[in-house]
Amino acid sequence: MNEIIQYYNDLASTYDQNRFSNSYGRFIDFQERKILDTLLTDQKEQILDLACGTGRLLNYASIGVDASFEMIEVAKRKFPEKTFLQSEAGHILLEDNCIDTVISFHFFMHLDHSKINEVLEESNRILKKKGRIIFDIPSRKRRNLFGYKKANWHGASSFSINDFKVHPNFKVKRTFGFLFFPIHRFPDFCRKFLLPLDSFLASSFLKEYSSYLIIELEKK
Ligand SMILES: C[S@@+](CC[C@H](N)C(=O)[O-])C[C@H]1O[C@@H](n2cnc3c(N)ncnc32)[C@H](O)[C@@H]1O
C-alpha cells in the first residue's frame, strides 16, 4: 500500500477531530463551503467527491471515492445513504461520461504533477461533456513570496492559474482564493473576526497570493 493511503488509514479515526475541530480548521472549512455554495447550485447534478476522506464535504455529493478503507468507513457511518467506492483516483470504477461534477479537496496538494495529470485524465473520462472538476491547490505565487520549500508529499504540489489554461481537455471557468492571512500565526480568539477581510482579499485581484486556490475546470 502506498505511504499516503497508509497514513490516512492510520489517521481516519482522529482526522475530523485533529483537522477541523479547531479554529484554524473551521476557518478553512467555512471558506471552502462558501465557495462551494456558489458553485454547486443545481440540485439535479450527479456530484462525485474524489478523495472524500471521512466525508467532510459529502453533503454536496452523492458518490464518495477514496483509496483508504478506514477513511471511507468513517464517512459511511456519517452518510449511510451515499454510494462509496474504495478506489484509486487514477482508476475510478465508473463508466465513461456519467458524472456532472467532481469535487476534490485537500487531495491534489499531496500529488506530484504527473499524478495530477493522471487524475485529471480519469476525471475527464468519467465526466459528461461540459462537466466540471473543482479542486483546491496550494498557490505557487504565495509559496514563492515566502520561499516555501516542500517538505514531503503533504504539500507536494503548487500551481498558478495559468498552468491550467493550456490543458487539452479542460478550460478554466472560475477561480477563487482562500486563506489569505497566515491565520495559524494569529491568536485563536481573533481568527473569526479576520474571516470577512480574509475572504474579501482572497477573492480580490490579489487572490493568487492566498495560500490556496480553488480551480473550476470545465470539460471541453
Ligand atoms: C486530506 S484528506 C482529504 C479528505 C476530504 N476531501 C477533506 O477535504 O476533508 C486526503 C484524502 O485523499 C485520499 N487519497 C490519497 N491518495 C489517494 C489516491 N491515490 N486515490 C484516492 N484517494 C486518495 C486519502 O485516503 C484521504 O482520505
Side-chain angles (χ1 to χ4, degrees):
M1 183 184 305
N2 96 26
E3 185 190 357
I4 306 179
I5 311 304
Q6 184 62 58
Y7 174 87
Y8 282 106
N9 270 337
D10 294 344
L11 187 66
S13 61
T14 54
Y15 176 84
D16 289 341
Q17 176 75 16
N18 269 351
R19 301 283 172 92
F20 296 101
S21 73
N22 52 55
S23 60
Y24 178 74
R26 283 195 295 273
F27 197 92
I28 292 175
D29 184 72
F30 180 89
Q31 289 191 314
E32 289 171 327
R33 284 179 187 279
K34 208 169 147 213
I35 293 166
L36 282 173
D37 287 342
T38 68
L39 290 174
L40 303 175
T41 50
D42 184 349
Q43 306 292 323
K44 293 192 290 297
E45 281 199 325
Q46 179 82 283
I47 300 176
L48 180 147
D49 185 354
L50 183 58
C52 64
T54 59
R56 180 174 67 95
L57 299 172
L58 255 180
N59 60 299
Y60 291 103
S62 54
I63 305 173
V65 171
D66 202 284
S68 157
F69 174 82
E70 300 295 342
M71 293 293 270
I72 286 191
E73 282 302 296
V74 177
K76 273 184 186 165
R77 287 199 285 278
K78 289 194 240 169
F79 295 99
E81 75 286 7
K82 310 257 174 187
T83 302
F84 290 95
L85 298 171
Q86 188 193 342
S87 198
E88 154 60 38
H91 305 279
I92 302 168
L93 305 170
L94 288 174
E95 60 195 37
D96 297 356
N97 312 317
C98 63
I99 299 293
D100 294 295
T101 298
V102 172
I103 60 171
S104 194
F105 280 75
H106 299 212
F107 176 44
F108 280 35
M109 63 179 72
H110 294 336
L111 310 177
D112 63 27
H113 287 207
S114 78
K115 182 72 187 174
I116 289 177
N117 280 334
E118 189 188 322
V119 173
L120 286 178
E121 214 29 67
E122 184 64 347
S123 302
N124 180 52
R125 184 186 70 73
I126 63 168
L127 281 170
K128 297 176 186 168
K129 191 159 190 265
K130 291 204 173 281
R132 300 174 295 160
I133 175 161
I134 299 162
F135 58 92
D136 69 325
I137 189 87
S139 169
R140 185 180 308 132
K141 283 196 179 165
R142 168 64 165 249
R143 285 192 169 180
N144 288 346
L145 197 64
F146 290 102
Y148 173 94
K149 296 267 178 296
K150 68 175 182 182
N152 56 25
W153 56 264
H154 260 283
S157 282
S158 62
F159 279 89
S160 75
I161 294 169
N162 278 341
D163 295 328
F164 295 99
K165 289 196 171 152
V166 289
H167 199 281
N169 301 320
F170 291 103
K171 69 171 189 212
V172 176
K173 210 170 167 205
R174 284 171 281 191
T175 58
F176 305 81
F178 70 95
L179 203 60
F180 193 86
F181 293 120
I183 210 69
H184 56 288
R185 298 192 193 282
F186 288 82
D188 231 26
F189 75 90
C190 69
R191 291 178 183 178
K192 70 168 181 265
F193 300 109
L194 286 170
L195 243 179
L197 184 57
D198 195 281
S199 300
F200 172 76
L201 291 169
S203 59
S204 74
F205 69 97
L206 292 170
K207 67 179 154 193
E208 282 211 77
Y209 294 99
S210 308
S211 301
Y212 296 95
L213 298 169
I214 291 179
I215 313 270
E216 180 192 32
L217 299 180
E218 185 181 81
K219 181 170 169 174
K220 285 181 188 165

